[in-house]
């Protein structure tokens, strides 16, 4: 990985002409020594910087500060190779940052006795070593370096285009420009012809990202209805390690562009896709939903071990106890759930078909018991949120789909996706809008959330969590900890602050020292916009 890359590679000479030359001039060495001494001070004086383009000034100064913080100053005492090209002076020196040692080039503008820092690069094309023309072979670079350069050129172009369209139209129009899913899915089908089109998409994705794009990638799972791909996208490394992208686009928009493109590709190939992030790794969870005939018998499936479930899925096992199904999860200690059933329905044995028939035909309820003994009602119903028939478990803890259902040895097993977000409704929009009103005045917001909301209501001074909770109860008539409004706010925070490590996202973000009142309002505005966009796609939402 290239630690620092700002723009294009440095060329030390023009073709066929030996403009750049090594020099042992004491004046050149003095420039380098004075630069290093200035770099050791903080901050580096802005007046000594003349970047190639003025908009790079902030990036250049920022990375000089980063270099100062991470420098092994012993390396900087080595006299670098020096090259004079007109009024420019270039130095080439190997430096180590983290685990990587790279030849860095530093460029200066020299005017009389004064020098000005211009640019530095982790890529240097040694065209000064080309030799006389005519010539057909040119100095090369390692494959990973060339992959990085290709990615930087492509991403920089995409960001420029996105910003231009967003400024002229809006962000949704800008995103729409980057739909390439139809072509991508067609390429997969045409170039990987010897497997099913669905598998071809996943396999082509892996080949293209690993062999064309140079990303480190592992295909962890491939089945007809599920696939998992783990890779380290150079796309995000570029944002992290280059100087110009952070100045041009927010990380939220940058990540949205990445996910929008992949979601369009997956949709065109018949897949749904979810994203998770672990450090520099991105995990693509691809799944296909099979349409279900309500009257078709359901064959029992084998249980799915926890280590084979996607991240954030929690398995439960229920056993029949008189006229109830009762059970727990070893991964959610102290919680117990139940479903009220009729013995006669199960007289022929417990089966998935019998469970679905029960929930279809009656108002089925149950009980959720918390570790402290508190209980709350569960309501079960059939929903078609994903164009397939699912059992929906509704409680104050959250609304969850039962997935990976199976029956074995008289026990019902299933898993819930802990972060499941139901389709948005107008009520969710109303919840966000009411929350905005509660928090509009800075004097009505506080940073001491404890998730106990009685005093917030009494004092009309709200944390983000309590304002959302109160608005949910007012608008929905009940509290669902995982309703779509609250989930959307959580997801927006996750996107703005990846890998934040919050135990309770809403509370911890509210209480974070860096969170300001305007940040809270921005989170709500982004959440509202996202819900509005979803409602536009589903105009029939209640």
């Amino acid at each position: 990985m290239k630690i620092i890359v700002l723009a294009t590679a440095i060329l030390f000479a023009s073709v066929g002409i030996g403009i750049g030359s090594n020099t042992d001039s004491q004046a050149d060495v003095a420039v380098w020594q004075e630069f290093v001494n200035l770099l050791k001070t903080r901050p580096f004086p802005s007046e000594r910087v003349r970047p190639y383009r003025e908009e790079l000034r902030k990036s250049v100064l920022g990375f000089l500060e980063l270099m100062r913080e991470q420098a092994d100053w012993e390396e900087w005492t080595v006299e670098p190779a020096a090259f004079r090209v007109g009024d420019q002076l270039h130095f080439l020196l190997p430096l180590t940052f983290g685990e990587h040692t790279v030849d860095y080039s530093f460029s200066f503008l020299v005017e009389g006795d004064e020098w000005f820092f211009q640019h530095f690069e982790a890529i240097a094309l040694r065209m000064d070593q080309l030799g006389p023309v005519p010539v057909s072979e040119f100095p090369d670079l390692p494959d990973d370096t060339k992959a990085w350069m290709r990615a930087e050129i492509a991403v920089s172009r995409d960001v420029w285009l996105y910003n231009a369209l967003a400024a002229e139209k809006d962000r949704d129009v800008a995103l729409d420009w980057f739909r390439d899913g139809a072509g991508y899915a067609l390429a997969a089908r045409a170039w990987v012809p010897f497997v099913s089109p669905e598998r071809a998409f996943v396999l082509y994705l892996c080949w293209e990202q690993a062999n064309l794009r140079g990303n480190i990638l592992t295909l962890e799972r491939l089945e007809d209805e599920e696939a998992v791909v783990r890779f380290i996208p150079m796309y995000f490394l570029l944002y992290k390690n280059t100087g110009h992208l952070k100045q041009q686009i927010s990380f939220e928009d940058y990540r949205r562009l990445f996910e929008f493109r992949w979601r369009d590709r997956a949709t065109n190939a018949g897949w749904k896709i979810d994203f998770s992030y672990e450090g520099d790794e991105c995990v693509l969870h691809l799944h296909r939903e099979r349409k279900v005939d309500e009257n078709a018998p359901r064959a029992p499936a084998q249980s799915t071990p926890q280590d084979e479930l996607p991240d954030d899925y929690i398995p439960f096992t229920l056993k029949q106890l008189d006229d109830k199904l009762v059970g727990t999860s070893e991964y959610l200690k102290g919680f117990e759930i139940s479903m009220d059933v009729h013995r006669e329905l199960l007289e022929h044995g417990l089966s998935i078909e019998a469970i679905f028939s029960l929930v279809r035909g009656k108002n089925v309820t149950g009980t959720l018991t918390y570790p402290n003994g508190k209980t709350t009602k569960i309501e079960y119903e059939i929903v078609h949120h994903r164009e397939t028939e699912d059992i929906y478990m509704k409680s104050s803890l959250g609304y969850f789909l039962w997935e990976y259902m199976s029956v074995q040895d008289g026990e019902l097993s299933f898993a819930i996706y802990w972060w499941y977000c139901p389709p948005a409704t107008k009520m969710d929009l109303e919840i966000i809008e009411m929350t905005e009103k509660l928090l509009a005045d800075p004097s009505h917001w506080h940073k001491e959330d404890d998730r106990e909301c009685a005093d917030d209501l009494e004092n009309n001074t709200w944390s983000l969590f309590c304002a959302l909770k109160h608005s949910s109860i007012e608008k929905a008539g009940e509290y669902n900890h995982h309703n779509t409004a609250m989930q959307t706010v959580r997801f927006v925070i996750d996107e703005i602050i990846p890998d934040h490590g919050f135990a309770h996202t809403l509370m911890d973000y509210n209480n974070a020292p860096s969170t300001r009142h305007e940040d809270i309002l921005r989170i709500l505005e982004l959440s509202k916009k996202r819900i509005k966009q979803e409602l536009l796609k589903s105009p029939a939402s209640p």
Side-chain angles (χ1 to χ4, degrees), residues 17 110 138 282:
I17 304 175
V110 179
F138 302 90
C282 173

Side-chain angles (χ1 to χ4, degrees), residues 276-507:
S276 62
Y277 299 91
E278 302 170 13
D280 289 333
E281 290 186 332
C282 173
V283 183
L284 306 180
H285 303 271
L286 296 128
H287 51 96
R288 292 168 47 77
E289 301 298 346
R290 180 187 300 159
K291 292 187 178 181
V292 178
D293 181 354
E294 292 186 2
N295 299 313
R298 298 171 178 270
Q302 296 299 313
S303 60
T304 304
Q306 170 68 15
D307 58 4
E308 295 182 12
L309 288 172
D311 291 346
D312 296 324
Y313 275 78
I314 299 175
F316 280 83
T317 300
L318 307 187
K319 301 178 181 179
Q320 187 173 355
L321 183 62
D322 296 326
D323 58 351
K324 295 180 182 294
L325 291 175
V326 181
T328 60
S329 172
E330 61 177 306
Y331 298 94
L332 200 60
K333 297 293 186 182
F335 287 85
E336 180 183 270
I337 65 174
S338 72
M339 173 188 277
D340 299 330
V341 297
H342 298 282
R343 291 186 182 181
E344 58 271 20
L345 183 70
L346 304 177
E347 61 185 6
H348 299 296
L350 182 63
S351 69
I352 294 177
E353 183 181 8
I355 297 298
F356 272 83
S357 296
L358 172 68
V359 179
R360 279 194 212 105
K362 297 181 180 294
N363 296 322
V364 179
T365 60
T367 302
L368 168 66
T369 304
Y370 288 80
N372 62 3
K374 174 186 173 183
T375 61
T376 185
K377 181 180 179 181
I378 297 176
E379 295 179 352
Y380 295 96
E381 63 181 56
I382 297 293
V383 295
H384 298 83
H385 290 169
R386 307 179 304 174
E387 299 182 357
T388 185
E389 185 180 60
D390 289 297
I391 291 178
Y392 206 25
M393 181 174 74
K394 300 168 60 176
S395 73
S396 61
L397 182 65
Y399 293 8
F400 305 102
L401 298 177
W402 281 15
E403 303 183 64
Y404 299 95
M405 291 179 65
S406 66
V407 172
Q408 192 170 7
D409 299 329
E411 296 181 351
L412 171 67
S413 297
F414 62 89
I416 62 171
Y417 178 45
W418 186 248
W419 292 112
Y420 176 69
C421 187
T425 68
K426 292 180 181 179
M427 185 184 298
D428 296 302
L429 183 60
E430 293 172 0
I431 290 171
I432 296 293
E433 290 174 340
M434 182 174 178
T435 303
E436 285 183 313
K437 291 179 181 178
L438 291 176
L439 294 170
D441 190 327
S443 66
H444 292 166
W445 173 63
H446 71 81
K447 289 175 63 71
E448 299 178 356
D449 186 16
D450 56 4
R451 302 209 300 170
E452 297 291 336
C453 301
D455 54 339
D456 293 60
L457 177 60
E458 180 180 350
N459 300 322
N460 193 26
T461 305
W462 305 91
S463 67
L464 176 60
F465 169 78
C466 287
L468 282 165
K469 180 178 180 180
H470 178 71
S471 300
S472 298
I473 295 171
E474 288 293 308
K475 295 298 181 180
E478 60 181 359
Y479 175 59
N480 168 13
H481 189 63
H482 284 180
N483 68 36
T484 300
M486 300 188 78
Q487 288 290 75
T488 301
V489 176
R490 291 185 180 102
F491 294 159
V492 169
I493 293 172
D494 289 344
E495 291 180 8
I496 291 178
I497 313 176
D499 305 317
H500 49 60
F502 294 154
H504 300 287
T505 301
L506 300 176
M507 179 183 76

Side-chain angles (χ1 to χ4, degrees), residues 35 78 115 119 140 142 155 203 211 235 286 300 316 389 417 500:
F35 164 70
V78 176
W115 59 264
H119 197 76
D140 205 353
V155 169
L203 294 170
N211 294 344
Y235 181 89
L286 296 128
F316 280 83
E389 185 180 60
Y417 178 45
H500 49 60

Side-chain angles (χ1 to χ4, degrees), residues 45-115:
S46 179
E47 64 272 14
R48 298 301 296 270
V49 175
R50 294 246 189 110
Y52 286 145
R53 293 164 54 182
E54 184 57 33
E55 59 263 32
L56 290 174
R57 177 179 297 276
K58 185 176 179 180
S59 299
V60 169
L61 288 169
F63 273 111
L64 286 174
E65 173 64 15
L66 185 63
M67 276 192 158
R68 186 195 69 78
E69 292 175 353
Q70 299 180 6
D72 177 357
W73 294 113
E74 284 294 321
E75 292 183 318
W76 296 71
T77 61
V78 176
E79 186 173 315
F83 302 81
R84 283 272 183 177
V85 184
D87 58 359
Q88 282 190 301
L89 176 59
H90 306 282
F91 296 100
L92 191 64
L93 181 70
L95 296 172
T96 303
F97 293 94
E99 300 177 355
H100 303 273
T101 300
V102 178
D103 285 338
Y104 283 85
S105 61
F106 296 78
S107 300
F108 297 80
L109 177 66
V110 179
E111 295 180 349
D113 294 333
E114 286 191 295
W115 59 264

Side-chain angles (χ1 to χ4, degrees), residues 117-240:
F117 183 77
Q118 282 195 305
H119 197 76
F120 56 91
E121 267 293 341
I123 299 173
L125 297 174
R126 295 304 307 270
M127 304 304 285
D128 55 315
Q129 300 174 347
L130 184 61
V133 296
V135 61
S136 299
E137 295 184 1
F138 302 90
D140 205 353
L141 293 170
D143 287 342
D144 63 336
T145 302
K146 290 185 290 186
W148 179 274
M149 294 170 71
R150 285 191 293 268
E152 184 176 359
I153 292 168
V155 169
S156 298
R157 180 181 61 243
D158 287 350
V159 168
W160 176 87
L161 180 58
Y162 173 85
N163 285 335
L165 290 170
E168 182 177 344
K169 302 292 185 180
D170 58 44
R171 291 179 180 178
D172 293 335
V173 172
L175 281 175
D176 215 46
W177 181 269
F178 291 93
R179 289 186 185 275
D180 64 357
Y184 195 93
L186 178 60
R189 191 167 187 175
W191 289 336
V192 189
F194 306 121
V195 298
S196 68
E198 295 78 22
R199 289 196 175 210
F201 172 79
V202 178
L203 294 170
Y204 174 68
L205 179 166
C206 295
W207 183 90
E208 183 254 350
Q209 288 296 304
N211 294 344
L212 279 187
R213 308 300 177 189
N215 291 318
I216 299 172
L217 180 146
T218 301
L219 174 60
E220 294 189 344
R221 189 184 185 98
L222 179 59
E223 298 177 358
D224 288 340
E225 295 185 5
E226 183 182 1
V228 178
V229 178
R230 181 184 300 271
F231 70 125
I232 302 177
M234 214 172 292
Y235 181 89
F236 289 114
L237 296 180
L238 280 165
Y239 193 88
K240 179 180 179 181

